[in-house]
Amino acid sequence: MTDLPRPHAHVHLGVFFQGVNHSTIWSDPASGSQTDFESFRQIVQTAERGLFDAFFLGEGLRLREQNGLLHDLDVVGRPDAITQLAALAAVTTHIGLVATQNVTYNDPADLARRLASLDLLSGGRAAWNIVTTDNAWTGENFRRGGWLDHSLRYVRAGEFVRAAQAIWDGSPGESVRHTGRTLDITVTPTVPRSPQGHPVLFQAGDSPDGRDFAASHAEVIFSAHGTDYDDALAFAQDVRARTVAAGRPEDDLKILPGTQFVLAATDEEAREKARWVKEQQVTPATALSLLGQVWGEDLSRYDPDGPVPSHDPVITEIAQTRGTVRHGPDPRAIAQARRARAEAEHLSIRRLVIAQERQRGFVGSPATIADQLIRWVRTGASDGFNVTPWIVPGGLDDVVDTLVPELQERGAYRTEYSGTTLREHLGLRDPLTRRAPAPVGATV
């Protein structure tokens, strides 16, 4: 692969512990609890054994609902990310610890202090995945309703990040003032800097505004473009162009799409395993919930092994499990197309949903997948991957035991950690606010 644009690039790997979701098979006897610390400990230590860059935690500020009913996978809740990561810092030594934290429903002085504390106590391994929320549904948990206009999501995010950076750049006992359209704070920092200077900044927005925000502020972008190569390459090229337009070097923003690996000894065995995984991911309750989003109603009274509803939706918008509304094609047309497919192929509700679910990520033998990952990274479609295991906590075992050695054999994966901080693992430069100004006339 010496003719590739980045012939010596290494594959970076992270693990994404989503918690509540239907891509993880929670019903399998081998599945652990999504709130038990042992699940978190086992998977993060496996990832560290596999020399992964980071362990990435999702976050939810309210249990998801659909038509007023709690999603069946949400009822056990989700522990606070920073609390979990602080505990995991004590049982790991190198792997980065990424906390998803919302700028809409946090205070910059408080969050900057908590992230700086995690960064300091972990020896420079903390990161912040910056997310925004503008809906009144989540806001009800904070007595704020829909106070944040959609157009202000990234305005506040930018002001929040700049305030946090100012706090991290300050010294204990030194007053820091930051004002903007959505905040006005005066803070005295209380936490000294960690060995990496600032927590690493992740961002996961995929809208044009989200991509621009990442290009201006983030150091890693976590995308949904982790299955189709052409789609991923187009996303990467767009993000890198925006990064250059923001006055930064093209490689200043690392791209780690979320993905899934289904591994087996041969490609055919892996394809058969992937079919089984998909079937297990779509439980009867999940099938009714997903189809209910199309019909915009509670379908729990239906038999998941029976026919799809014979009536058309009576709504004009498609409801989401996140308590907001997704604007899109006419749900009647979607429902009619689904019904026609079910009738033509003699599919039950559950079988229809399984058939509609696209295959996520990579399927194959360790050698096959290793070659694919190297192609992605060395042609610039990504810098690595954030892996969502299809089962927790044992879902990384085959990745670490079979795929990582294949990548190492090809010279495309580290054989040991060369540094101690997350910034070093990812090959990142100093934080944006701590770089010397470029010389006059210099290009980036």
Side-chain angles (χ1 to χ4, degrees), residues 11 63 66 108 197 233 249 257 268 301 367 417 433 439:
V11 175
L63 300 184
Q66 183 172 332
L233 184 60
E268 180 53 39
R301 67 187 184 281
Y417 287 110
T433 59

Side-chain angles (χ1 to χ4, degrees), residues 252-275:
D252 215 32
L253 180 60
K254 304 301 181 185
I255 301 171
L256 299 181
T259 198
Q260 173 184 273
F261 296 146
V262 179
L263 288 148
T266 68
D267 290 348
E268 180 53 39
E269 290 174 356
R271 286 190 288 269
E272 181 60 33
K273 183 177 177 180
R275 285 190 285 271

Side-chain angles (χ1 to χ4, degrees), residues 118-185:
L118 177 63
D119 202 26
L120 179 67
L121 296 174
S122 66
R125 295 188 282 136
W128 171 20
N129 178 40
I130 305 158
V131 295
T132 69
T133 302
D134 67 344
N135 63 62
W137 175 77
T138 300
E140 286 182 359
N141 274 5
F142 298 87
R143 297 179 183 272
R144 295 181 181 176
W147 71 275
L148 184 65
D149 186 85
H150 183 84
S151 64
L152 291 178
R153 286 184 309 151
Y154 285 112
V155 172
R156 178 171 173 83
E159 293 177 353
F160 197 116
V161 169
R162 287 189 290 272
Q165 290 170 322
I167 294 167
W168 295 333
D169 283 333
S171 300
E174 173 186 80
S175 181
V176 174
R177 177 75 188 276
H178 194 87
T179 61
R181 290 177 63 188
T182 68
L183 58 87
D184 184 351
I185 62 170

Side-chain angles (χ1 to χ4, degrees), residues 261-295:
F261 296 146
V262 179
L263 288 148
T266 68
D267 290 348
E268 180 53 39
E269 290 174 356
R271 286 190 288 269
E272 181 60 33
K273 183 177 177 180
R275 285 190 285 271
W276 177 85
V277 167
K278 187 191 288 189
E279 290 198 358
Q280 297 304 304
Q281 288 171 328
V282 181
T283 65
T286 296
L288 293 172
S289 176
L290 292 177
L291 198 67
Q293 292 179 43
V294 177
W295 260 260

Side-chain angles (χ1 to χ4, degrees), residues 424-442:
E424 290 173 303
H425 301 341
L426 291 166
L428 296 172
R429 299 176 175 86
D430 288 339
L432 285 169
T433 59
R434 301 189 63 76
R435 298 182 193 177
V440 176

Side-chain angles (χ1 to χ4, degrees), residues 315-386:
I315 59 171
T316 57
E317 295 173 322
I318 301 172
Q320 282 185 318
T321 59
R322 302 189 186 280
T324 57
V325 173
R326 182 172 73 248
H327 299 277
D330 179 7
R332 293 184 181 86
I334 298 173
Q336 289 165 3
R338 300 281 173 88
R339 188 188 302 115
R341 179 176 184 179
E343 292 173 353
E345 300 178 24
H346 306 289
L347 300 174
S348 66
I349 289 176
R350 181 165 177 261
R351 287 293 163 189
L352 173 65
V353 172
I354 291 171
Q356 290 288 142
E357 286 279 287
R358 66 185 180 92
Q359 179 61 54
R360 301 181 183 89
F362 297 84
V363 176
S365 68
T368 294
I369 293 182
D371 287 342
Q372 292 172 339
L373 302 190
I374 293 170
R375 176 190 178 224
W376 278 53
V377 169
R378 292 187 172 174
T379 59
S382 74
D383 293 290
F385 302 88
N386 219 11

